[in-house]
Every structure is written in structure tokens, then in C-alpha cells.
Amino acid sequence: MDDFREEEALGKAYDARLMARLLTYAKPFWRIILLCIVLLGFIAAVDLARPYLLKVAIDDHLNGISKPMLAYPAGQAPAGPGPVYPFAGKDFVRLPHAPADQGDAYQIIIVGTDKVLVQGHVPQGSEFAKADPPAGGTLDPLITSLAPGRRMAAVKVTPPGQPAFQVRGVVLNQQDADQFQKGDGPSVLNLALVYLALLLGGLVLNYGQTLLLQLTGQRIIFRIRQEVFGHLQRLPLAFFDRNPVGRLVTRVANDTEALSDMYTSVLVNLFRDVFVLLGIAVVMLRMHLKLGLLALAVMPFVGLVTFVYQQRARDAFRDVRVKLARINATLSENISGMRVVQIFRREKEQAGEFHAINQAHFDAGMRQLYIFAVFRPALDLLAQFALTLVIWYGGGQVIRGHLQFGVLIAFTSYIQQFFRPIQELAEKFNILQQAMASSERLFQLLDTEPSVADRPEARTLEKVRGAVEFDHVWFAYDGDNYVLRDVSFKVEPGQTVAFVGHTGAGKSSIMNLVSRFYDVQQGAVKVDGMDVRDVTQESLRRNIAVVMQDVFLFTGDVKGNIRLNAGRISDEEVRRAAATVGADTFIRRLPRSYDEPVAERGATLSAGERQLLAFARALAFDPAILVLDEATASIDSETEHLIQRALREVSKGRTTLIVAHRLSTIQHADQIIVLHKGKIREQGTHQELLAKQGLYYKLWRMQFEESRETAPGPAGTEGPLGP
């Protein structure tokens, strides 16, 4: 099948078959992609480490004075990661950096504005109050030794869920308290430096990962775009007859770019999201199980909102893509046909048609926007709700002393990080949806089998003599609507054969079949006795040059449009071909001669000049068979005279097939074939056909009468070129 409809290429939000095929394009770059995934693992680790550093700074240092401690004789504290606090002839080490089964346990508890050093461990979450009268009992020798000049205090301790009890200790002055905090300042500074190093390291890792990933994505898209363009070049003309140019441009440009976003924003970065989500969930649950479960309690609602959004957004997104393709097709058609639009003053009507298509695209885009406008705030609401739960429960636990303040700060940071990839899910889903739709359209195009293709056993056509034969050819562009019916003729090498007839008689179809732009339904087209279906298209067309009535010139310069990037054609050969057809005269008048820029479609050149360049292009490739399809229909009499003179030279030694509307240009042909309603009605030389006084004679007389009425010749002539 050579054509397809935009509406058919809709697909699913995620298609494993399409994704597997997309991954094949990434396979050659698997090492770089794996490196990007490893870098993402490090980046996720950096992201997870930052809140934990804040927790350590707050709980272990800013609020570290209240942590349980073990006291050792001076100089005998075990080596460890934690700092040692020398005080009153002993070395104090905070837990858990000291072995719990060694040393004497102490703790500084804060009662109002007092910092009281007591012996033993006070249960976490206990409430403190001043006790009056002071509790009795013995005091720790260390506390006793500190008592002179210091105030003693009794404290009522109420552990959570346990009976209250009293402890006695010494109230530390500011100098004493500073002893237990002197190592915290440098530790906080070190943590700050580590935090800064993590920020810089994350910046470097992100830069490297992004650069590698974007480079890989662009390489993948480069390959896909090359493959699509190459496939388009192999498709037959029938495919382009049925598919708008704008739609095909959308395939090569927009759809491949959509895949680029998928490779760079979704495929690999999805690993980062997974690393971050799993890492944060594990860290929160290990840090505080109840608070972690509370923070994750909203996840079922996140899943529900995401599922609803996916269902609604998929249909809306499909509609947007369909409408966009219609806009591209309409724009391409109207811009290409702007001359006709302006000549017939149809600007208002065409603008109205475009307005309707544009309005449909706008409405589809607004529907997609409304859906997205609900999804993102809904996720934000759930994220804030989870944060509210954590602050409500965690804050209460901090106030009651059951939770360290740094843990709560870390949780608030982790929740924000946790919901960030979820909040970006909408964008990723849009990219994935677009990639699925675009990949389906691209693969549908790539899977379109050319109706004209080389057979596996096709031979290469080497040196061509130029013999052409049609053997009982039947041909139709569509179904059974045959434009050629049982056509048979032979053209010997070096002959010039012309085809004439009314519009629709099948003349141009014969030219298309010689170059095998289409395949016949019945019969055979032969070159040098070989069926054109038995030889490769490349070798066949290498020996054929075609000049059509509608000349297409590419953006570039004059010599580039003659050689068409064929490096084997030298500048001298370009000039020789141009001189042969008479194009050299007007080319040298151009400001930059053969280097003169040519606008799109040759808009700055006249129709005759474009036609001459087309003749020069054909001759530069030195074909064995020259096909002229109404090639002189758009040129003036002076240019026609130049072409006629050039044709007599270039036709020597090569087969020339001419479709001509002006019969005056073909009267010197070796034979003229007259077609009527797809069949050969007459065949012979110019004089032989005139003598028959059949269909060709009528066509000649008709043009003779028109020529005499519009531009009578000099006295003594009876026709355009004489009697």
C-alpha cells in the first residue's frame, strides 16, 4: 500500500512493540547510554545525600549538645568519626560514635534556659521540669567535683509511657557549655563544605550526563531522519501522487524531533526518576518508619489521578497531532500554489479554509491544555497534603521530644524531591505519547513497501545501446482505468521517436514507464531487449535523462542545478552542456555567471531559461536515452529555435523519445506515434502521416489554422514551417 491516513496512525499511550523497535536505533550507542545511566545513579545519590547532611548538621551538631555521651579517662577515648570533647579531666564522646558498653554514660538535658549535666541516659522523648525539693541520693563524683562555684539542680523526668523520676545534676555555665560544643562549629563547616562539594559535583555530573545524552539523542535522530529520507527516495511516484507534501515533511521534521525528546527526556531520565523515588522511599522509611509511611500514604491517590489523566490526555493528544498535520499539509499546498491563489483572487476563501483548520487545531490544543491544567495542580495539591501530614505529625513528635528536628527538616526536603519527578510525569507522558504516535507514523512510512521495487535477481544494466520496446503493454494508474491499452512499438538505438495525441491519450504515461516510475499491469517494457523489471532501477535510470514541461530547480547555484551534486561532472562539462543547448548565452549575462544563486524552484529565472537549464542538466549526464516530455511547451519561438538546433546535435548517437504538443518541433523525427484513448492509431514519419490524412493530419491542420490566425507567416508559406 503506497498511502496512509493521518487518522490511522494513532497508537496507544505506550506500545511495547514500538518501543522495542525504537530501542534498536539506540543499540549502537548502548555504552554511552549505560554510562549516562551510571551517571544518573551518582546524580541521584548526590540528591539523596544533601537532605541527610542537613539532618546530620542539625541533630548531631546544632542540637548535638543534648545527645547521650560516654566519658573516658583523659587520652583514652576510642578513635572514631565523632569529635572528642575534653571536660573536667575526662574525654566525652557522643553516641553512637562510642561503644555503648564502655565508659560512663552522661547527658546534658535542657530545662528551661538551663543546661544540666546528669549521669545516665535519659529516655528519648522525655519531658523535663524543675524538681523541688532537690532529690536525695548520691551524686556522681564528676558532678560533685564541678559543684563548687556552680549551681546544682534537681530535674523531674517524665519518660513517654513510664513513671516519672528525678535526677540531680550540675547546671553548666556558658564556658562549660562551650566545651561541649567547641567541636560542632568546625564539624558544621566541614559539612557545609561537603554540601558545597556535592552541589558542584552534581553540577559537573549533570553537565556531563546531559551533554552525552543530548549528543546520543541527536545521533540517533540523525540516523532515523536519514533512513526516512532515503526510504522516501525509494518510493515510487504513485506514493507522492496520493500523499500531500506537508504530511511527508511533518514525518521527516516534526515526528523525528518528537523521538529526540523521547530519547533524551524520557528513556534515560526515567532511570533517574526511579533511582530518586526508590532511594527517597528507602531513606525515609529507614530514617523514621511511621513518618515515612505517612508521607507515602498519598501515593494511591497519585496513581488514580495519573491514570485518569492518561486516559483523557491520550485522546486529546491524538486529536492535536492530527490537526497539526492538516495545518502543515494546508500550508504547504497554499504556499506552493500562492501564484494561483493571487491570480484568481482567492485569498479570502483560502484564508477562511485555513481559519477553519487552524481553529480545529486551537480547540484540540485547548482541550489538551484544560486536561493538563487539572492534572498538574492536582499533583501539587497531593504533594502539599503529604507535606502537611509530615509537618503535622512530625512537628508534634519534635515538640514532645520523640523526634529530632533534623529528621523533620530532612523529611520536608525529601518530600519535595520525591514529588518533583511525579509532577514532571505530565510532561514525560506527553513526550512519550507524542513519541508513540510519531514512531507509529514513521514506522508506517518506513514499512510502506514500494510498488516499484528491484527484484532479488535484478541485474545491473551496463552499457546501453538505447533500444526501447513496448510489448502489448496495458497500464492503469488506478484499478482498471487503463490509460494504455495493448500498446506495442519498437524504437531502434539512436532513433528519434515522437508521441502525439490529445490530452489524456497516454503520451506521458509511456515516458513514465520507460523510466520505470510505474510498473505495467500487463505486457512488458524493454530496454535493449531486457524487461525493465529485471534490471535495477539505479542502473536503468543512470542511462536515461528526462526533461519535463514543469522544470524543477533546487536552491543553490546554476552549475549545481546542472550537475545535481554529481562530482564526476566537471565544471568544463557543465559549461559544454550549457553551450550545446544555448543556455551559456544567458548564463554568462548573470552577475555571477555559473555561480549565480538560484532561488527555490528557479523563481528568479524565466520559463525558457529554466527549460534551457533542464536541457543542459540532461545532456551533462550523457544519457543513452533522452526523454522530452512536453519539454518545449513553455518556451518562446527564439528559445525553441535554439532547442531545435541543439536537439539535432544531442540526438546523434542516442535514442530520443519526445512528447510534443507543438507538432512543428517533431516533424524531423524518425517516426511519429499517434495515440488516441490509450491506443496507437497511426505510426510513421511526418510526411507519411500527412499523406494518410488521418488523425495526425487533423491535428496538424488544427495547429496550422491556429498559427495562421494568430501569427500569419510571410507570403508564400502554407504552414508554421513551410509548405
Side-chain angles (χ1 to χ4, degrees), residues 35-302:
L35 176 60
C36 290
I37 294 174
V38 172
L39 290 176
L40 285 175
F42 285 111
I43 293 171
V46 169
D47 292 340
L48 292 174
R50 292 201 303 269
Y52 187 78
L53 287 179
L54 291 177
K55 180 259 182 194
V56 171
I58 293 173
D59 291 339
D60 292 353
H61 299 289
L62 298 181
N63 293 334
I65 194 172
S66 298
K67 293 182 71 67
M69 300 178 292
L70 292 180
Y72 300 88
Q76 297 183 20
V84 176
Y85 303 94
F87 180 71
K90 289 183 177 292
D91 289 341
F92 287 82
V93 180
R94 293 174 185 169
L95 293 176
H97 300 306
D101 58 345
Q102 300 179 19
D104 298 322
Y106 291 89
Q107 190 167 351
I108 298 174
I109 59 177
I110 300 176
V111 185
T113 59
D114 293 333
K115 296 180 178 66
V116 183
L117 176 65
V118 300
Q119 186 181 27
H121 287 174
V122 178
Q124 185 179 2
S126 299
E127 297 180 1
F128 307 117
K130 291 182 179 180
D132 190 23
T138 61
L139 290 175
D140 178 68
L142 175 65
I143 295 176
T144 303
S145 66
L146 292 174
R150 293 179 174 83
R151 183 163 51 90
M152 302 294 294
V155 182
K156 179 183 178 182
V157 180
T158 306
Q162 299 179 24
F165 61 90
Q166 288 188 352
V167 295
R168 294 182 65 188
V170 62
V171 178
L172 302 177
N173 58 32
Q174 187 61 45
Q175 184 179 0
D176 296 334
D178 290 342
Q179 284 295 106
F180 287 98
Q181 290 184 301
K182 68 177 183 179
D184 291 326
S187 297
V188 171
L189 177 60
N190 291 335
L191 288 173
L193 294 176
V194 172
Y195 193 92
L196 178 61
L198 287 176
L199 288 176
L200 296 177
L203 175 64
V204 173
L205 290 174
N206 271 297
Y207 174 79
Q209 183 266 340
T210 301
L211 183 63
L212 285 175
L213 190 58
Q214 292 291 336
L215 180 62
T216 303
Q218 291 302 316
R219 287 178 176 174
I220 294 173
I221 297 307
F222 178 84
R223 293 186 59 195
I224 294 176
R225 192 173 281 133
Q226 285 291 116
E227 182 177 343
V228 174
F229 184 76
H231 183 73
L232 282 173
Q233 290 183 310
R234 292 190 295 272
L235 291 175
L237 292 182
F239 177 86
F240 301 97
D241 293 340
R242 298 167 182 166
N243 291 279
V245 174
R247 179 184 297 173
L248 300 179
V249 171
T250 302
R251 297 291 167 276
V252 181
N254 298 37
D255 286 332
T256 53
E257 199 60 35
L259 294 185
S260 174
D261 294 336
M262 190 274 294
Y263 283 113
T264 56
S265 300
V266 177
L267 184 61
V268 174
N269 283 327
L270 191 61
F271 286 94
R272 176 179 182 175
D273 294 341
V274 172
F275 293 155
V276 170
L277 291 175
L278 292 179
I280 290 177
V282 171
V283 170
M284 288 194 302
L285 293 175
R286 288 179 62 87
M287 191 179 296
H288 197 283
L289 181 61
K290 289 184 178 180
L291 201 58
L293 292 175
L294 191 65
L296 299 176
V298 299
M299 291 308 298
F301 299 99
V302 171

Side-chain angles (χ1 to χ4, degrees), residues 493-504:
Q495 278 191 332
T496 298
V497 178
F499 298 86
V500 300
H502 293 294
T503 300

Side-chain angles (χ1 to χ4, degrees), residues 304-342:
L304 178 62
V305 170
T306 303
F307 176 77
V308 173
Y309 169 77
Q310 175 182 345
Q311 298 300 314
R312 299 293 180 87
R314 182 172 58 193
D315 295 335
F317 183 81
R318 290 173 175 176
D319 198 23
V320 169
R321 298 299 300 174
V322 171
K323 299 300 190 296
L324 178 61
R326 291 177 180 172
I327 284 181
N328 289 338
T330 303
L331 276 174
S332 176
E333 184 178 62
N334 277 269
I335 292 175
S336 299
M338 189 59 67
R339 183 187 301 271
V340 176
V341 172
Q342 293 182 353

Side-chain angles (χ1 to χ4, degrees), residues 415-489:
I415 288 176
Q416 294 174 354
Q417 289 188 20
F418 186 82
F419 277 89
R420 190 174 301 128
I422 298 177
Q423 290 168 337
E424 294 173 355
L425 181 63
E427 288 86 350
K428 286 185 172 63
F429 178 79
N430 279 347
I431 293 173
L432 184 62
Q433 174 70 53
Q434 183 173 349
M436 290 297 102
S438 297
S439 64
E440 187 168 8
R441 286 189 294 266
L442 283 172
F443 292 147
Q444 189 178 27
L445 174 59
L446 290 173
D447 293 340
T448 300
E449 293 294 337
S451 58
V452 178
D454 290 340
R455 293 174 175 174
E457 67 279 6
R459 299 167 54 187
T460 299
L461 196 61
E462 300 297 345
K463 186 173 179 61
V464 175
R465 295 183 300 112
V468 177
E469 179 183 356
F470 273 54
D471 184 9
H472 299 285
V473 168
W474 290 72
F475 171 70
Y477 290 101
D478 184 24
D480 295 331
N481 299 320
Y482 288 100
V483 294
L484 294 179
R485 302 169 181 270
D486 196 24
V487 172
S488 297
F489 62 85

